[in-house]
Amino acid sequence: MFRPSQSLLFRPMPVLNKLKIHHPLPLNPRESKQLLNLLTTSFRQQLDSEHPQFRDSTAITLLDHHTSRRSRRSSLSDHERTPTDRHMHSLLTNPLFNLSLETGHSNVVLSKDPMDIFNKAVANGMMTTSDAKACLAAKKSQIIRSSVLNVRDGMKDSGAGLQVLKWLVSSGTANKTDFLKDVAFVKIMMEYMVAEGLQEAAWKWVKKSLETFSKLSLLSGEEFVAAQKEVVGPLLLLVRAEAANSASPTSLDAAYMTMSRAAGYLGGLSTSEMTRILGPPGWFLIRASVMPRSSRPPPSESAFESFLSLIPVISKSPARYFAHLSLLHPTKPNPDLALDYIRSIDANKSKQKKGRQSKAATESDHHNIQLGLDTANYLLVQHRYTEADEVMEFLRTHYPKQLGIKEMRQLEQAKAEASSLELLERLGLA
């Protein structure tokens, strides 16, 4: 008799043991919902093509009218009109597709529009800037969780900023500057106003705030610092809103031009007074400009140079910022100032005793390291290998503790690449 052979389906296969299965990373709620919407559309088109639907348009109109007049719990019969509807209903009612927000021990589905709550509170005369801030934040959260690809576009389409702005004007709140002290409210309002193209209204707030700058001369110490933050706050928040990098990266043109416009309003002030106003938003914009993780499109030459001209009134020590921004010029990058600055630091540090060097990395150290990395990268691209090696040696010598493992490996790899390419060029092989 023949012995039945083992099924191939259950026969061990050694080759499979060598394979490693990597499970995909979990999606966040927004990505999950976008994927779900894509699946929904795809399944609908496929199933409707295989099972054509025949609907009575009159019946559908009556049904839609009936549904709009009163809300009711949906039943399975509502989803049995087409094969697609039945199939998608079975999928979407699965608990695995529940996109509710967990709060405490219960699941709360945020389905109500926060701006409906805002309008009701306004009608009852109960709205405050604190409540408006909460409504705007909740609306933004809804937009982020929705299927919209660009958060700024979603905020624009919501019109929430205009609703709140109309309330500020009609209630008389906008006639004073007290509401500008609510930093969190002004911050999110600036985001909506920029998204909705309401910058001129935002500039009225900025100018009102800057008009109170003369009062700062009577203050000193902590009182001066607190008052300065209140005066500069609206401008800083407007610049940050213009520079906001959403899912679809934007250039810094608008933020640069905001700084130039603000400088135009300060014509009668001294350089030190302008520094107190333009310094905070200027430093923020410098960091945004040199941020290594940025995927923004390059700015226009005119906007970039308008910001570059303000560096002397943004910082009392402009050499480092001039050097770094000149290296990142959108049309005429130049590493010469960066090289000069790095060499000057190298000379100064070489004179210092090692025992006096600080172990903790300062903000200045971080900026110098980033400047060095950007300079070395640019020099390598331009085949200036000797100078690139000089910069990398500067980083290795003076910032060994501040550089992380990743940066050190990048330097080693870049240095090896520079040496190899330089040798090839000398041999005429590169």
Side-chain angles (χ1 to χ4, degrees):
M1 297 179 66
F2 294 100
R3 176 182 296 178
S5 60
Q6 186 179 12
S7 172
L8 290 176
L9 181 62
F10 300 101
R11 180 176 299 174
M13 300 183 67
V15 69
L16 293 180
N17 296 331
K18 299 180 181 180
L19 299 178
K20 294 183 178 180
I21 300 176
H22 297 277
H23 297 284
L25 294 175
L27 301 177
N28 59 40
R30 182 184 173 194
E31 292 171 336
S32 299
K33 191 166 185 180
Q34 289 177 344
L35 178 60
L36 180 58
N37 289 337
L38 183 62
L39 289 172
T40 302
T41 303
S42 177
F43 270 113
R44 246 178 219 289
Q45 293 174 347
Q46 180 65 23
L47 292 176
D48 279 342
S49 66
E50 297 179 4
H51 306 279
Q53 56 180 343
F54 301 93
R55 299 189 185 187
D56 181 9
S57 59
T58 305
I60 294 177
T61 303
L62 291 175
L63 178 61
D64 292 340
H65 178 67
H66 178 69
T67 304
S68 64
R69 290 185 59 185
R70 64 184 184 90
S71 60
R72 57 185 174 83
R73 186 182 301 273
S74 60
S75 62
L76 183 60
S77 59
D78 294 330
H79 307 278
E80 291 179 339
R81 289 172 289 177
T82 68
T84 298
D85 290 330
R86 289 195 299 271
H87 178 71
M88 293 311 304
H89 179 261
S90 67
L91 289 177
L92 298 179
T93 53
N94 191 302
L96 293 175
F97 287 90
N98 184 12
L99 296 178
S100 60
L101 178 65
E102 293 187 4
T103 57
H105 299 288
S106 61
N107 289 337
V108 179
V109 180
L110 300 178
S111 58
K112 189 172 182 63
D113 191 339
M115 299 315 295
D116 291 341
I117 300 175
F118 171 83
N119 291 328
K120 185 174 182 180
V122 169
N124 294 331
M126 300 171 59
M127 182 51 58
T128 64
T129 56
S130 179
D131 294 333
K133 169 183 61 183
C135 291
L136 290 173
K139 184 63 178 179
K140 184 178 179 182
S141 296
Q142 274 193 348
I143 294 170
I144 293 173
R145 289 192 302 273
S146 70
S147 59
V148 66
L149 298 179
N150 189 311
V151 176
R152 181 177 283 189
D153 289 344
M155 295 171 71
K156 175 183 178 181
D157 294 338
S158 73
L162 181 59
Q163 287 180 260
V164 176
L165 182 61
K166 287 180 177 179
W167 164 72
L168 288 172
V169 174
S170 63
S171 65
T173 305
N175 296 333
K176 302 178 182 179
T177 59
D178 292 343
F179 75 98
L180 296 176
K181 296 179 182 179
D182 190 341
V183 177
F185 168 72
V186 178
K187 177 180 181 296
I188 196 166
M189 265 300 291
M190 287 295 188
E191 294 174 4
Y192 276 96
M193 293 167 80
V194 166
E196 297 178 39
L198 302 173
Q199 285 92 333
E200 289 307 313
W203 273 109
K204 292 181 180 180
W205 299 359
V206 171
K207 289 189 285 187
K208 277 186 178 182
S209 185
L210 294 180
E211 288 171 358
T212 64
F213 178 77
S214 59
K215 299 178 182 179
L216 268 62
S217 60
L218 305 176
L219 305 175
S220 60
E222 294 182 359
E223 290 183 342
F224 174 85
V225 174
Q228 181 190 23
K229 288 181 179 179
E230 289 184 2
V231 171
V232 181
L235 174 60
L236 172 60
L237 295 175
L238 177 57
V239 170
R240 290 183 63 174
E242 291 284 13
N245 213 11
S246 59
S248 178
T250 56
S251 77
L252 291 172
D253 277 3
Y256 289 149
M257 298 312 298
T258 298
M259 288 291 296
S260 296
R261 180 171 176 177
Y265 294 133
L266 308 177
L269 299 181
S270 64
T271 301
S272 61
E273 290 174 328
M274 290 183 68
T275 300
R276 291 172 179 171
I277 295 175
L278 298 180
W283 295 328
F284 163 80
L285 204 46
I286 288 173
R287 287 192 291 270
S289 301
V290 303
M291 186 182 302
R293 301 177 301 277
S294 177
S295 57
R296 301 176 185 274
S300 66
E301 180 178 2
S302 58
F304 185 86
E305 291 186 347
S306 71
F307 179 65
L308 198 61
S309 67
L310 295 176
I311 297 300
V313 295
I314 290 175
S315 173
K316 296 178 181 179
S317 303
R320 177 172 59 195
Y321 304 122
F322 264 129
H324 208 156
L325 291 173
S326 296
L327 179 67
L328 302 175
H329 195 285
T331 57
K332 297 175 292 185
N334 190 335
D336 294 340
L337 289 178
L339 280 170
D340 291 342
Y341 180 76
I342 288 172
R343 286 165 180 162
S344 67
I345 298 177
D346 190 22
N348 292 332
K349 284 185 173 291
S350 298
K351 296 177 182 179
Q352 297 176 356
K353 294 181 179 180
K354 293 184 178 180
R356 296 176 55 187
Q357 292 180 351
S358 173
K359 295 183 179 180
T362 64
E363 183 177 356
S364 178
D365 289 335
H366 289 309
H367 195 119
N368 290 341
I369 291 170
Q370 187 59 51
L371 173 60
L373 292 172
D374 288 343
T375 304
N377 180 68
Y378 177 84
L379 293 171
L380 285 174
V381 172
Q382 298 299 316
H383 309 293
R384 297 167 64 170
Y385 306 116
T386 302
E387 292 166 312
D389 186 63
E390 175 189 355
V391 174
M392 289 185 284
E393 188 62 31
F394 158 78
L395 292 173
R396 287 160 50 88
T397 301
H398 299 295
Y399 302 104
K401 294 181 179 179
Q402 290 88 338
L403 284 170
I405 295 176
K406 181 179 179 181
E407 288 81 359
M408 290 295 290
R409 288 178 178 173
Q410 287 177 345
L411 284 177
E412 292 290 349
Q413 182 178 358
K415 186 176 181 180
E417 180 182 353
S419 300
S420 301
L421 290 174
E422 184 177 19
L423 178 60
L424 290 173
E425 277 202 343
R426 288 177 181 175
L427 295 175
L429 300 176

